Amino acid sequence: MSVASVDMPAVQVVIPVFSGTAETIACVNSVLEAVPLNRTRIGITVVYDAGPDAALFHALNNLASTGQIILLVNEHNRGFVHSVNRGIQYAGDNDVILLNSDTRVHGDWVDRLVTHATTDDHVGTVTPFSNNAEICSWPRLCQDNNSVADIATPDVDRAFAALGTHHLEIPTAVGFCMYIRRHCITAVGLLDEATFGHGYGEENDFCMRAARSGFRHLLACNVYVFHQGGVSFGADKLKRVEHAIATVQRLYPEYGALVARHIHDDPARLWRFAAELSLPLQQGLPLILHISHGIGGGTDRHVVELAHHTANQALHAMAVPQSDCLRLVFPTVTNGGLFQIPWRDIDHLVSLLQKLQLTSVHLHHIKGWEQRIHDLLKALDRPVDVTLHDYYFLHINPALTDRDDYFCSDPRLRDEQCSLPAPFPVNMTAAAWRDHWAPILRSARRVFIPSNAAAAIYQEYFPWLSPCITFHPDHERSTPYPDVTLPSQSPEQEMHVVVLGALSRIKGADMLERTALLAEKKGLPIRFTLIGYAYRRLAAAVNVTGSYRDQDLAALLQREQPHLVWFPCLWPETYSYTLSRAMKDGLPVMYPDLGAFPERLQGRPGSWSIDWRASPQQCLDTLMRIRTSLQDQASLEAWSDQPNSSFDYHSDYSVDAASPDECRPDSDPAHLYQTITQPLQLLLAYWLPEIPAMQPSRRKIFRLLLWLHSHRFIGMIANLLPLSLRRNVKRWFTQRPLHDHTD
């Protein structure tokens, strides 16, 4: 007999309970606290399945005795699905929300779910986002996102609530919080207790039956419910999951393909991104726009590293140029998004960033921005910081190398020699180039340079420049570096020398090859390995491992067990992340007396300097002396690495980037929605689902060109072409790094 009446609530929240006192009471209390915040009439039915915890039963009984909840008690344990069905039946003609006892809800969550559920009569179920909800998980899809457990659930829910009333179709609801329309239950029936009695898989079975009856299942993009996970089912969850998957797949052969397609297409990615971006906006964090070249390497790595290093102090965006547009990403946002904004809409970008509370701009590179950066900085009208990662502000050849790819050390000859491999545009000189960019450095609030050596080169041309000389945040996060450990080296053993990274000519690829060939010719007990790749195919005297991910480098070094790491660099690097890796592992190194290397390795034992202009023979002579030192196993003194400045990125960077009061978001809750949604809606209009893959025809031509370039004669001719032309040709074919095409 139905117990429903005209006085029954419009929506009944059904919470099946077996154990977990603290989690259950927190869940019920969160629902009770939210009731007055919703226009929908809400009832709460807790079904207690004869659990083992007397304290839990008494706590629930107390809530029921005061009329706050309806408590249904199973005389003996009947299983999860039976408890759910009992609650559904008790709700009479009303819609129900099945809510796990280890969840927490906030705000007008029911009203928002109702809005989606009542879209049309074909809606069967609605599921919100959660940190632990399979295909409805946030911020990472199909993961238990423990990383967000420390974020206050009300803040997260408000971030989702600011996204409007969007919803998406999903192949199945997720049972942690599942809104079910009553007419769907009437048409489909209850959950299948006979097959899924102890829980897990029952909601998938119900949804597949509903779908076959013409009902749709929606993901509510503006609702978030915290889900601890595991409390409802206990330690045997994995066994139940495996059984449920097999059973559902047997009953509905199309189920696996539907879910797999949904995961592949991931239509909710945009909304997961929007919610994560909304969090720092509603918290009033300042926005810093980083401008970079997008080519990769240490510059882009530094942007991402700096953004993560100060993520609790600011929201970070990075803009990189393309031929017909700029691309905008948010490095600290899990689903960082990729937004493609045409140059014709640059005014929209300015408006967007201002609405997102832009407080400062950090310029990392002007490559690709030459025709636009002055106007953009003027339009943005915010304080500008600059980091000088190379020497592009001084010369169009950013490494300051000559035709032979060696550093032009003589300032009197530098402009002319550096222009041979990288000539200026017509009617442009090196002096005019510097005059064009000097105003940016003059007006910058702060200019960062990661080494004194690089600062000295800049001050040869801009004596008025007073930069902040400080290592990258990589140094702050890595120190104290471990003491150097000398590997054992017996007299009869070969010395294993390893070179790291992506080697161009200026990074010493040719020098490495010539040195290895000479060692092989002389029969010296030294072998060479390049962990990484070179700009061309190297001789067999060098073992080349191929491209790698940064996070895998430590394991590769552990596998190779080098006696020494060599940096055969021919230009004054301003920093070196591969050097950082060697220092983190306490490895001996041989380095050029040029650029940032001497400064970073000052006083470090087990570190041997060599003239950066050394010949292959001189390199071998030094390596043989180092080999002798390794055999002697001389004890090394401890080394205490010191910062090269008093500036600390973690404590000093974003403090100065804070916005004036008038730039901060309005904290009035009544205005919060408009403050956040207006810029988000503008931003999402430029959403780019994915980076277009290179067309097969272009890929074939590009691989052919790479193969031709690997031949020395053709490579020599190609290197006579202007550097800018070579880069533009590469960019026409692909935006991917070269090592992705040289496997």
Side-chain angles (χ1 to χ4, degrees):
M1 182 180 67
S2 173
V3 297
S5 71
V6 293
D7 296 323
M8 285 289 290
V11 173
Q12 195 76 12
V13 178
V14 176
I15 308 174
V17 174
F18 176 71
S19 63
T21 302
E23 295 84 358
T24 299
I25 299 306
C27 170
V28 174
N29 284 337
S30 73
V31 178
L32 288 169
E33 291 168 3
V35 167
L37 303 177
N38 288 264
R39 298 188 306 274
T40 305
R41 290 183 294 116
I42 303 170
I44 306 171
T45 300
V46 177
V47 185
Y48 182 67
D49 195 21
D53 192 341
L56 173 57
F57 174 76
H58 288 304
L60 294 173
N61 199 44
N62 288 337
L63 290 172
S65 66
T66 59
Q68 297 180 76
I69 66 171
I70 295 170
L71 179 62
L72 305 179
V73 180
N74 294 337
E75 293 183 2
H76 58 274
N77 183 259
R78 297 291 301 273
F80 180 82
V81 178
H82 176 86
S83 298
V84 169
N85 283 340
R86 186 177 179 187
I88 291 175
Q89 290 173 313
Y90 185 85
D93 294 332
N94 294 293
D95 292 353
V96 298
I97 300 176
L98 306 183
L99 189 66
N100 278 13
S101 61
D102 55 350
T103 59
R104 292 198 297 274
V105 300
H106 290 279
D108 59 343
W109 69 291
V110 174
D111 284 350
R112 282 175 273 152
L113 289 176
V114 168
T115 299
H116 300 288
T118 56
T119 301
D120 60 59
D121 290 339
H122 295 289
V123 176
T125 70
V126 182
T127 305
F129 276 105
S130 176
N131 58 297
N132 183 4
E134 304 298 342
I135 61 173
C136 300
S137 289
W138 173 87
R140 294 179 178 86
L141 180 68
C142 293
Q143 293 187 33
D144 182 356
N145 293 276
N146 293 323
S147 60
V148 302
D150 294 334
I151 304 176
T153 308
D155 291 341
V156 180
D157 184 58
R158 278 194 295 271
F160 276 92
L163 302 183
T165 57
H166 302 278
H167 55 246
L168 303 168
E169 275 200 52
I170 51 179
T172 177
V174 184
F176 78 101
C177 179
M178 179 178 172
Y179 188 111
I180 313 178
R181 298 298 310 275
R182 175 55 59 176
H183 63 266
C184 180
I185 297 172
T186 301
V188 176
L190 297 172
L191 305 188
D192 186 349
E193 181 180 353
T195 306
F196 303 96
H198 290 288
Y200 217 96
E202 71 285 344
E203 78 271 29
N204 311 108
D205 169 76
F206 177 87
C207 289
M208 292 304 295
R209 285 188 281 136
R212 288 181 174 181
S213 298
F215 289 98
R216 300 186 299 135
H217 309 293
L218 303 182
L219 168 62
C221 296
N222 64 338
V223 188
Y224 174 85
V225 172
F226 176 81
H227 180 210
Q228 180 173 325
V231 174
S232 300
F233 298 113
D236 62 343
K237 176 181 176 180
L238 181 60
K239 185 182 300 183
R240 295 185 182 185
V241 170
E242 293 174 348
H243 176 266
I245 292 174
T247 302
V248 172
Q249 192 64 39
R250 174 176 54 82
L251 294 173
Y252 312 99
E254 71 275 22
Y255 174 80
L258 288 172
V259 174
R261 170 52 71 104
H262 178 82
I263 293 173
H264 176 268
D265 294 344
D266 193 11
R269 180 169 178 253
L270 183 151
W271 303 108
R272 291 200 306 274
F273 162 82
E276 196 169 1
L277 181 63
S278 179
L279 265 174
L281 291 179
Q282 69 169 313
Q283 293 168 357
L285 292 183
L287 171 66
I288 300 175
L289 175 66
H290 299 266
I291 296 177
S292 186
H293 50 41
I295 299 173
T299 300
D300 287 349
R301 175 172 174 174
H302 168 74
V303 174
V304 174
E305 171 190 83
L306 177 58
H308 282 280
H309 195 54
T310 59
N312 62 335
Q313 304 168 40
L315 174 64
H316 299 265
M318 179 169 69
V320 299
Q322 307 293 305
S323 59
D324 57 348
C325 66
L326 67 83
R327 285 181 174 173
L328 190 70
V329 296
F330 292 80
T332 57
V333 179
T334 306
N335 304 281
L338 181 61
F339 302 92
Q340 186 166 282
I341 303 174
W343 291 119
R344 64 177 180 272
D345 289 349
I346 197 71
D347 291 342
H348 290 184
L349 172 69
V350 172
S351 174
L352 164 68
L353 294 173
Q354 291 171 345
K355 291 178 184 298
L356 290 174
Q357 316 306 328
L358 178 69
T359 59
S360 65
V361 178
H362 194 149
L363 181 60
H364 294 267
H365 218 283
I366 51 178
K367 178 65 180 174
W369 295 92
E370 292 87 348
Q371 306 302 317
R372 299 180 173 91
I373 193 63
H374 284 290
D375 291 340
L376 178 60
L377 294 179
K378 182 179 179 180
L380 291 172
D381 191 27
R382 292 291 185 267
V384 177
D385 294 329
V386 179
T387 293
L388 299 171
H389 294 275
D390 55 28
Y391 305 98
Y392 200 66
F393 274 87
L394 302 179
H395 199 284
I396 198 170
N397 179 347
L400 300 181
T401 50
D402 60 20
R403 177 174 287 175
D404 296 323
D405 293 300
Y406 279 81
F407 172 53
C408 300
S409 57
D410 189 340
R412 298 168 298 178
L413 305 175
R414 187 174 293 151
D415 285 349
E416 179 182 355
Q417 291 184 354
C418 294
S419 298
L420 295 176
F424 285 98
V426 177
N427 299 324
M428 174 66 74
T429 65
W433 177 270
R434 289 189 288 272
D435 289 342
H436 184 70
W437 299 120
I440 292 180
L441 299 181
R442 280 188 179 275
S443 62
R445 178 179 57 181
R446 298 176 297 193
V447 176
F448 299 105
I449 301 184
S451 72
N452 283 284
I457 293 175
Y458 264 93
Q459 288 169 331
E460 291 174 1
Y461 301 92
F462 303 141
W464 42 263
L465 188 65
S466 298
C468 175
I469 302 170
T470 181
F471 293 147
H472 287 338
D474 163 75
H475 181 267
E476 293 177 19
R477 302 171 71 179
S478 302
T479 54
Y481 287 113
D483 293 333
V484 181
T485 302
L486 292 180
S488 59
Q489 174 77 69
S490 60
E492 64 279 0
Q493 186 180 6
E494 280 188 324
M495 180 184 185
H496 189 192
V497 177
V498 161
V499 178
L500 305 176
L503 288 198
S504 59
R505 293 181 66 183
I506 65 174
K507 284 183 176 286
D510 297 339
M511 175 59 68
L512 168 62
E513 181 183 62
R514 291 198 298 266
T515 304
L517 287 171
L518 184 59
E520 185 178 66
K521 179 179 178 180
K522 291 178 172 289
L524 297 179
I526 306 176
R527 63 185 175 96
F528 296 86
T529 295
L530 170 58
I531 299 181
Y533 59 95
Y535 76 97
R536 62 173 177 83
R537 189 184 304 276
L538 299 182
V542 180
N543 174 41
V544 180
T545 64
S547 60
Y548 59 84
R549 299 179 302 172
D550 290 332
Q551 59 266 36
D552 295 334
L553 182 53
L556 291 170
L557 281 166
Q558 179 66 27
R559 184 190 72 185
E560 293 296 334
Q561 292 290 302
H563 295 103
L564 181 78
V565 178
W566 177 26
F567 297 91
C569 192
L570 305 177
W571 74 289
E573 289 208 56
T574 60
Y575 198 71
S576 172
Y577 281 106
T578 50
L579 174 61
S580 298
R581 182 69 264 168
M583 295 168 72
K584 289 175 186 177
D585 291 348
L587 294 170
V589 300
M590 183 172 78
Y591 63 93
D593 57 350
L594 181 69
F597 290 99
E599 183 176 344
R600 296 192 64 193
L601 294 166
Q602 183 178 6
R604 183 180 187 263
S607 305
W608 288 269
S609 174
I610 187 172
D611 190 330
W612 63 275
R613 293 156 294 198
S615 67
Q617 182 60 59
Q618 290 171 321
C619 291
L620 288 177
D621 291 342
T622 304
L623 288 172
M624 290 302 292
R625 287 196 297 272
I626 295 173
R627 183 173 182 270
T628 301
S629 298
L630 294 176
Q631 291 173 2
D632 294 342
Q633 282 288 289
S635 60
L636 297 178
E637 297 180 359
W639 178 55
S640 179
D641 178 34
Q642 299 296 326
N644 65 338
S645 78
S646 59
F647 182 87
D648 182 275
Y649 276 101
H650 190 269
S651 61
D652 302 331
Y653 176 70
S654 294
V655 172
D656 291 341
S659 63
D661 291 340
E662 62 268 19
C663 291
R664 293 197 177 280
D666 193 335
S667 58
D668 184 351
H671 299 146
L672 180 61
Y673 179 86
Q674 182 178 0
T675 301
I676 294 176
T677 54
Q678 190 175 9
L680 279 178
Q681 289 172 355
L682 179 61
L683 176 64
L684 297 179
Y686 294 103
W687 173 267
L688 187 66
E690 60 185 32
I691 299 176
M694 190 195 307
Q695 296 176 1
S697 58
R698 289 193 182 187
R699 177 181 294 275
K700 292 179 181 178
I701 298 172
F702 188 60
R703 287 185 178 274
L704 175 62
L705 291 177
L706 287 175
W707 179 80
L708 290 172
H709 192 272
S710 69
H711 290 70
R712 182 176 298 274
F713 178 71
I714 297 177
M716 290 175 60
I717 296 176
N719 288 333
L720 295 177
L721 297 174
L723 182 63
S724 58
L725 176 59
R726 283 181 275 157
R727 283 179 174 171
N728 288 337
V729 169
K730 184 260 180 184
R731 284 189 171 193
W732 186 84
F733 283 101
T734 177
Q735 293 296 329
R736 295 165 57 191
L738 287 177
H739 66 267
D740 281 357
H741 305 282
T742 56
D743 297 337

